[in-house]
């Protein structure tokens, strides 16, 4: 399995013509977009992508054997060939996407708004190795970039942030990086390096697996349970970052009061700060989940399939909007795959509503939402009960799926609760394992 990872290295503030380079590159892309839009009928006839790219480049670039039809070389003299080809590729993609959307719009009967071709192209250039980007052998935290100073293309020494370069040397030393892409975030420029690595995910049979079932919550960030196929619980962990959440909720309170007094026009900076805090919180939660799973040698990390659609309402509306459940699962998947751990998801219906011991629906406490009361009077942590049910549903599905239809129907007749996957709980897994052991002994 191929895993692609990237990291952005910040460029230190220097007197280098980054803006001029970015401006001329985007001007070239805008010029090419207009050209290819005017001759798209001619280019659309070429089905092969490489031949289409070559034909598009021949339209604007003059060689000994090919006189160009358009004066691109005159408007952008001495532009490096790699920059020109990157601009051609970006312009072709933009025009092709626009033409496809236009065809769909016509096929649908012109019901929705007509698509348009974006005139402002916010393309970012790629600095290819040796011809546009070179390492500085004398300084560790420096490199050379070929930039446009307003008159000509020249090599400029660029210094990069020391901590970013230390991270690359620590985690990616010896690995080959792709050509860096220029990025701009928060008025700062970055070079994003991409690394590709081959990893092999574990192929442990279900009967020998150890899983880490995770219940993502709002009050408690995550509850992890290490479980075996027979229902044995090997470990439990509550992951919570109260100080980080308290800081974020205080920022959200300030935003709410500011909007009430001044409106929502001048609050973008405050929202950006709150989102950065929330993103950092998601990174911490994902890192702790994967670390706990790898520490206990889990083969699979099991999540709920959380899909929240429609308009949110109620007191916890703002908390739900800032709940980064998809981002946490995505980050966990990326980090877990690098360690050879698989990711699986199960249906989220009733995992928190039903007690893990099979006693039925639970009653949540009004004062402390983390605790609940079972129908038999037992007091328990609601999120921990849900994590038991998540792990049990995974094993029930994986155990029953490969069985023949006759054997599966016999087991479902003995344990009817496993037929309906949306109401399976931890107690049903124990009953299913007991029934399978009885049938094996007989």
């Amino acid at each position: 399995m191929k895993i692609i990872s990237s990291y952005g290295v910040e460029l230190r503030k220097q007197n280098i013509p980054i803006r001029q380079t970015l401006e001329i590159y985007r001007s070239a892309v805008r010029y090419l977009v207009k050209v290819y839009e005017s001759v798209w009928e001619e280019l659309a006839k070429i089905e092969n992508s490489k031949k289409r790219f070559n034909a598009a480049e021949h339209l604007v670039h003059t060689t000994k054997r090919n006189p160009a039809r358009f004066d691109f070389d005159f408007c952008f003299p001495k532009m490096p060939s790699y920059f020109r080809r990157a601009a051609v590729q970006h312009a072709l993609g933009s025009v092709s996407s626009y033409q496809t959307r236009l065809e769909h719009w016509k096929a649908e009967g012109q019901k929705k708004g007509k698509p348009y071709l974006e005139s402002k192209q916010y393309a970012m250039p790629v600095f290819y190795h040796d011809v546009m980007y070179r390492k500085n052998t004398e300084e560790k935290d420096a490199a050379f970039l070929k930039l446009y100073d307003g008159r000509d293309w020249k090599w400029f020494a660029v210094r990069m942030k020391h901590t970013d370069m230390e991270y690359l040397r620590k985690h990616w030393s010896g690995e080959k990086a792709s050509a860096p892409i220029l990025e701009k975030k928060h008025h700062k420029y970055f070079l994003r390096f991409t690394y590709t690595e081959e990893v092999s995910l574990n192929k442990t049979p279900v009967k020998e697996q150890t899983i880490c079932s995770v219940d993502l919550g709002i009050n408690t960030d995550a509850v992890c349970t290490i479980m075996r196929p027979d229902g044995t619980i090997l470990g439990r962990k509550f992951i919570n970052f109260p100080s980080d959440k308290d800081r974020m909720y205080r920022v959200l309170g300030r935003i709410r009061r500011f909007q009430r007094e001044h409106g929502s026009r001048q609050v973008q900076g405050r929202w950006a700060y709150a989102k950065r805090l929330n993103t950092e919180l998601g990174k911490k939660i994902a890192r702790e989940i994967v670390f706990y799973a790898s520490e206990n040698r889990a083969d699979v990390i099991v999540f709920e399939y959380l899909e929240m659609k429609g308009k949110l309402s109620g007191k916890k509306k703002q908390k739900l909007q800032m709940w980064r459940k998809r981002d946490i699962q995505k980050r966990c998947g990326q980090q877990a795959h690098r360690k050879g751990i698989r990711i699986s998801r199960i249906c989220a219906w009733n995992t928190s509503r039903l007690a893990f011991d099979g006693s039925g629906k639970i009653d949540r406490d009004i004062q402390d939402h983390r605790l609940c009361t079972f129908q038999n009077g037992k007091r328990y942590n609601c999120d921990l009960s849900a994590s038991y049910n998540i792990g049990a549903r995974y094993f029930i599905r994986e155990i029953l799926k490969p069985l023949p239809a006759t054997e599966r129907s016999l087991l479902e007749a003995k344990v009817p609760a496993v037929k309906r996957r949306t109401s399976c709980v931890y107690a049903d897994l124990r009953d299913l394992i007991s029934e399978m052991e009885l049938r094996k002994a007989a």
Side-chain angles (χ1 to χ4, degrees):
M1 178 181 180
K2 285 186 178 181
I3 295 182
I4 299 175
S5 306
S6 66
Y7 189 83
V9 178
E10 182 181 343
L11 300 180
R12 303 299 297 271
K13 290 183 178 180
Q14 300 167 74
N15 189 20
I16 53 175
I18 288 283
R19 293 183 180 178
Q20 294 93 318
T21 306
L22 192 58
E23 183 179 352
I24 193 171
Y25 178 76
R26 289 178 173 176
S27 300
V29 173
R30 288 195 293 269
Y31 178 93
L32 292 171
V33 166
K34 295 179 181 178
V35 168
Y36 296 147
E37 184 187 11
S38 63
V39 296
W40 181 250
E41 293 183 359
E42 178 183 341
L43 293 174
K45 297 177 182 178
I46 307 173
E47 297 181 357
N48 188 284
S49 58
K50 290 185 178 180
K51 292 182 179 180
R52 180 185 292 181
F53 174 81
N54 292 334
E57 188 178 17
H58 290 159
L59 289 172
V60 295
H61 180 55
T62 301
T63 60
K64 290 182 179 180
R65 299 182 180 179
N66 174 69
R69 195 188 306 178
F70 298 92
D71 58 347
F72 177 85
D73 292 335
F74 178 78
C75 297
F76 303 94
K78 297 184 180 181
M79 176 172 274
S81 59
Y82 286 88
F83 262 29
R84 183 186 67 247
R85 290 168 185 168
V88 168
Q89 190 68 46
H90 185 92
L92 273 178
S94 298
V95 177
S96 176
S97 174
Y98 163 70
Q99 294 294 335
T100 303
R101 289 184 281 115
L102 186 63
E103 290 177 4
H104 288 321
W105 177 73
K106 292 178 180 178
E108 292 175 357
Q110 304 179 3
K111 295 180 180 180
K112 300 179 181 179
K114 184 179 179 180
Y116 62 94
L117 183 61
E118 183 64 47
S119 58
K120 293 183 179 180
Q121 297 291 326
Y122 297 100
M124 303 301 287
V126 181
F127 289 89
Y128 291 93
H129 289 291
D130 298 330
V131 291
M132 302 299 297
Y133 169 86
R134 289 179 185 171
K135 292 183 179 179
N136 192 336
T137 55
E138 297 179 358
E139 295 185 34
K140 289 184 177 180
D141 304 332
F144 292 101
L145 295 180
K146 202 168 190 179
L147 304 174
Y148 184 71
D149 63 352
R151 295 182 179 180
D152 199 0
W153 294 84
K154 299 178 182 178
W155 288 98
F156 288 86
V158 178
R159 291 185 179 180
M160 294 177 280
K161 197 172 182 179
H162 175 71
T163 53
D164 292 340
M165 295 303 295
E166 280 294 316
Y167 174 85
L168 293 183
R169 284 191 286 266
K170 180 180 178 181
H171 296 281
W172 298 101
S173 60
E175 299 290 338
K176 187 177 180 181
S178 67
I181 302 175
L182 184 67
E183 285 187 354
K184 185 180 180 182
K185 289 183 178 180
H186 313 301
H187 307 288
K188 297 179 181 179
Y189 290 98
F190 297 81
L191 282 179
R192 180 161 295 277
F193 295 87
T194 305
Y195 299 87
T196 304
E197 54 185 332
E198 288 281 349
V199 297
S200 57
L201 301 181
N202 68 79
K203 298 180 180 179
T204 310
V206 178
K207 296 181 179 179
E208 301 176 7
Q209 283 182 359
T210 301
I211 69 167
C212 176
S213 58
V214 183
D215 177 63
L216 298 176
I218 300 175
N219 301 299
T220 303
D221 293 329
V223 179
C224 304
T225 301
I226 306 298
M227 187 182 296
R228 293 285 295 164
D230 59 353
T232 305
I233 305 298
L234 302 179
R236 298 171 294 185
K237 184 175 183 180
F238 292 82
I239 298 173
N240 202 25
F241 295 94
S243 59
D244 295 75
K245 288 192 293 186
D246 183 60
R247 185 183 300 114
M248 187 180 66
Y249 292 153
R250 280 191 281 113
V251 172
L252 292 176
R254 293 173 192 157
I255 292 173
R256 191 163 52 248
R257 291 191 295 272
F258 185 88
Q259 287 180 332
R260 194 183 307 125
E261 295 177 5
H262 307 284
S264 58
R265 290 186 178 181
Q266 301 175 352
V267 79
Q268 292 86 355
R270 297 171 185 261
W271 269 116
Y273 178 60
K275 288 179 180 178
R276 288 198 296 272
L277 290 176
N278 203 22
T279 301
E280 188 62 29
L281 177 61
K283 291 178 181 179
K284 289 183 178 180
I285 297 169
R287 183 170 60 247
E288 286 295 320
I289 291 172
V290 176
F291 176 76
Y292 183 67
S294 62
E295 186 181 33
N296 289 272
R297 298 180 180 180
D299 301 298
V300 184
I301 299 177
V302 185
F303 292 102
E304 295 174 303
Y305 180 77
L306 298 172
E307 187 66 34
M308 299 173 64
K309 295 182 179 179
K311 188 177 180 181
L312 301 175
S313 60
K315 294 181 180 179
K316 292 192 176 182
K317 174 182 177 181
Q318 206 169 45
K319 285 187 178 181
L320 287 170
Q321 285 177 336
M322 303 297 285
W323 187 26
R324 300 183 63 85
K325 71 276 183 188
R326 294 196 194 105
D327 183 62
I328 293 171
Q329 292 188 9
K330 182 180 178 181
R331 292 182 186 277
C332 282
Q334 293 171 344
Q335 297 177 25
H337 287 161
R338 292 189 66 188
K339 297 178 181 292
I341 303 174
R342 294 182 179 272
I343 299 293
S344 184
R345 292 177 176 81
I346 56 96
C347 179
W349 288 9
N350 299 320
T351 52
S352 300
R353 190 177 299 174
L354 298 176
F356 75 93
D357 61 354
S359 58
K361 292 184 178 181
I362 63 172
D363 295 325
R364 283 185 181 264
D365 285 10
I366 299 175
Q367 296 180 351
D368 192 349
H369 204 63
R370 295 170 296 180
L371 299 177
C372 63
T373 306
F374 294 174
Q375 295 294 327
N376 52 17
K378 185 176 182 179
R379 298 268 294 170
Y380 212 76
N381 186 284
C382 184
D383 297 330
L384 186 59
S385 173
S387 69
Y388 290 171
N389 293 338
I390 291 168
R393 288 190 184 182
Y394 168 80
F395 278 124
I396 290 172
R397 182 186 67 193
E398 297 300 319
I399 290 171
L400 292 178
K401 186 166 58 176
L403 295 178
T406 53
E407 188 176 352
R408 191 191 310 137
S409 61
L410 290 174
L411 288 172
E412 289 175 349
K414 293 292 184 179
V415 189
V418 299
K419 288 183 179 180
R420 187 176 176 83
R421 200 66 51 78
T422 56
S423 60
C424 290
V425 294
Y426 175 75
D428 299 330
L429 173 65
R430 299 301 297 260
D431 294 341
L432 179 64
I433 297 299
S434 300
E435 185 60 32
M436 292 180 70
E437 290 177 352
L438 289 174
R439 292 179 61 83
K440 191 180 293 185

